[in-house]
Amino acid sequence: MICPLANFEEVFQSESGAVYQCSRKNCYWLDFMGTTTAFSVRDFFQFKKRVDAIDLEMMLSNSARSFDFEIIMPFRTEHIFILNVEDIVRLRELLAGAKFMIELNSEIRSCLKRSLSLTF
C-alpha cells in the first residue's frame, strides 16, 4: 500500500505497470502485476540488474518444469515475484523505461545547472 502522505511523481508507465518516485521518502515504487513494492534507490537498480541477468534463452530451451518460472525475492522488501518468461519480458521493459527516464532527468538537471552557472 502506498503512503497517502507521500509525494509521488510518475517515472515511467507501460501497459504492464508503472514506476513512481517518492520525493518524501526518497524511494521508488514499482506497480507490477497488481502489487506495489517500495525500493530504496540502490535496491531498485540492483533489482533491475537481477531481472536483466535472468537467462531467458535457458528458460525457453529447457523443457524441465523448474525452468518455467523464476522466483525473485528483492532485498529489503516483503514481496516475492514469481515470473514466467512473458512476465520477465514485461518487467524488463518497465524497468528499462524507468531507468532511461531517471537517467534522462539527471542529465537534464545537470545541463540546466551548467547553463545557470554560466549565466551568473
Side-chain angles (χ1 to χ4, degrees):
M1 180 74 182
I2 295 177
C3 172
L5 301 175
N7 184 14
F8 290 100
E9 296 175 25
E10 182 179 292
V11 174
F12 184 78
Q13 183 175 4
S14 71
E15 292 180 7
S16 304
V19 175
Y20 302 95
Q21 181 177 3
C22 175
S23 57
R24 184 167 186 240
K25 298 239 183 198
N26 194 28
C27 65
Y28 292 107
W29 286 85
L30 172 65
D31 181 10
F32 184 71
M33 295 178 59
T35 61
T36 308
T37 308
F39 292 92
S40 70
V41 174
R42 181 177 182 206
D43 291 345
F44 178 79
F45 288 108
Q46 291 204 342
F47 177 70
K48 182 188 179 320
K49 282 183 185 178
R50 195 161 169 204
V51 170
D52 289 344
I54 297 171
D55 188 353
L56 290 179
E57 186 177 332
M58 171 83 76
M59 289 179 73
L60 291 170
S61 64
N62 197 316
S63 62
R65 290 201 38 99
S66 61
F67 286 90
D68 288 346
F69 295 92
E70 185 73 27
I71 298 172
I72 301 175
M73 298 178 350
F75 192 58
R76 287 188 279 262
T77 68
E78 295 179 5
H79 189 77
I80 297 174
F81 291 86
I82 302 173
L83 307 166
N84 61 28
V85 172
E86 184 180 351
D87 296 334
I88 294 167
V89 170
R90 288 180 179 170
L91 183 57
R92 281 184 180 177
E93 174 189 307
L94 179 60
L95 295 175
K99 182 179 181 206
F100 175 79
M101 295 305 291
I102 291 165
E103 290 173 348
L104 178 62
N105 188 32
S106 177
E107 191 63 32
I108 290 171
R109 287 179 190 230
S110 176
C111 290
L112 289 173
K113 282 182 183 179
R114 275 188 255 134
S115 76
L116 284 175
S117 66
L118 292 176
T119 60
F120 291 113

